[in-house]
Amino acid sequence: MPAELAPPWKVLLVDDEPAVHEISRLILHGLRFEERGIELLIAGSAAHARELLAQHADVALALLDVVMESDDAGIELVQHIRQRRGDRDMQIVLRTGQPGMAPEREIVAGYDINGYVLKTEITAQRLHSIVVAGLRNYARLRALQDTNRDTAATAATAATAPAEDLRAELPELLAGGAALLQAQPEVLLASHRIRGVELVPQWRSSIGLLSAARLWQALPTHAARAELLRWLVQQAATWSRRWAAAGAALGVSIPLPAAAHADASLLQALLGAVREAALPPGTLDLLVDEAALFG
């Protein structure tokens, strides 16, 4: 959204002293952060603040007095925001003129707040700094959440994309032209000797990288799944022979898609591929997901 169209940041000021309202309004007038102005919401009590919060779900920063209609009204308001409303993003700064009623060490350690300041320490510049720092932290939290949501949505789309989206690509995928193979060493801890290699295949597709399990789900026919099993075995055989030629007799592990072990005809196709590969006994390991064994 262009900066000139972005809504202002909402800052909630809660204090039972009208003079604090006026001074804060004057000091914050015209303040901008990331090209956005500030909408100052003012409440004279914690009860009034709850009403404003019910109307404004996107408050970025709250500046709360501690002692108002009760000695711990500000503390109860913190609990209301964090626990009852479940708002963990809003930045909360407690401001107090009576530190004896709310000692800083106890408050900071016991409550989910982002700052604590004495009213006697607040100058115009200090208030500017407090507000800008609070808005910056809030913006970073929201940006991180947006990034995480986008990443999760992309992953979910790739994980649930219908087979039709990949159907045109399947011949190339099965032929191995779009495959990437990672070789992860399997090490004997007692001797630190490499005993084998696990092949981890992924396939480049229009919806991102696909694991063997994800590609298996997209395959529409029994024959295509048998072809994938044969390709995996062929890769194991090819790499095993290359390592043997280089003087390294290593076992090779390949993933066995979860559904394959329960299908007798696919297991027969797998055994046929193993016989064709003519690997020495003990060379090939099939990695089966634990959930498939005990599901």
Side-chain angles (χ1 to χ4, degrees):
M1 180 183 296
E4 61 271 16
L5 299 180
W9 303 101
K10 292 182 181 180
V11 175
L12 174 64
L13 172 66
V14 187
D15 200 295
D16 61 355
E17 297 182 34
V20 172
H21 303 171
E22 296 305 317
I23 293 172
S24 299
R25 185 181 284 111
L26 289 172
I27 291 174
L28 297 178
H29 178 72
L31 179 64
R32 299 181 68 80
F33 173 69
E34 293 186 348
E35 302 304 318
R36 293 168 61 180
I38 291 176
E39 179 182 352
L40 189 61
L41 308 173
I42 293 180
S45 66
H48 185 198
R50 291 187 180 91
E51 295 176 4
L52 289 176
L53 288 171
Q55 301 168 20
H56 302 272
D58 54 345
V59 172
L61 169 66
L63 305 172
L64 309 183
D65 192 7
V66 175
V67 180
M68 292 179 287
E69 63 263 51
S70 65
D71 291 345
D72 59 354
I75 301 301
E76 290 184 354
L77 185 55
V78 171
Q79 299 292 78
H80 173 78
I81 293 170
R82 297 300 194 215
Q83 297 180 6
R84 294 192 60 184
R85 293 181 59 84
D87 191 333
R88 301 292 176 180
D89 297 336
M90 184 192 304
Q91 302 296 290
I92 299 177
V93 176
L94 286 181
R95 311 192 310 171
T96 182
Q98 303 178 52
M101 301 293 294
E104 180 175 0
R105 176 178 296 182
E106 296 178 10
I107 297 301
V108 171
Y111 298 91
D112 186 2
I113 63 173
N114 306 101
Y116 179 104
V117 62
L118 299 180
K119 289 184 179 181
T120 54
E121 298 175 345
I122 298 178
T123 62
Q125 184 57 56
R126 183 75 189 281
L127 183 57
H128 272 222
S129 299
I130 290 171
V131 170
V132 169
L135 295 179
R136 179 176 291 113
N137 288 337
Y138 177 82
R140 286 173 177 169
L141 278 174
R142 297 307 296 266
L144 180 61
Q145 291 175 359
D146 290 342
T147 299
N148 290 341
R149 278 193 291 267
D150 290 345
T151 301
T154 300
T157 299
T160 59
E164 289 76 8
D165 292 349
L166 293 171
R167 188 158 292 170
E169 303 172 54
L170 289 179
E172 181 184 0
L173 295 177
L174 287 174
L180 299 172
L181 275 177
Q182 293 182 351
Q184 299 181 349
E186 299 172 343
V187 180
L188 294 171
L189 296 180
S191 62
H192 302 288
R193 183 174 62 85
I194 296 177
R195 65 162 296 276
V197 174
E198 177 186 345
L199 294 182
V200 182
Q202 291 181 304
W203 286 263
R204 290 183 295 259
S205 76
S206 59
I207 62 171
L209 288 176
L210 303 179
S211 66
R214 178 64 190 93
L215 178 57
W216 180 272
Q217 293 173 357
L219 296 176
T221 66
H222 186 279
R225 293 183 171 185
E227 183 61 30
L228 175 59
L229 291 177
R230 281 192 290 270
W231 185 87
L232 289 171
V233 173
Q234 289 167 1
Q235 293 303 307
T238 297
W239 285 101
S240 176
R241 293 191 184 101
R242 289 180 181 177
W243 285 316
L250 299 175
V252 183
S253 301
I254 58 172
L256 179 64
H261 79 285
D263 188 316
S265 59
L266 285 175
L267 288 178
Q268 286 299 320
L270 177 63
L271 290 174
V274 172
R275 293 190 189 100
E276 291 175 10
L279 290 170
T283 300
L284 181 65
D285 289 332
L286 300 177
L287 301 178
V288 181
D289 186 84
E290 183 177 311
L293 291 177
F294 297 102

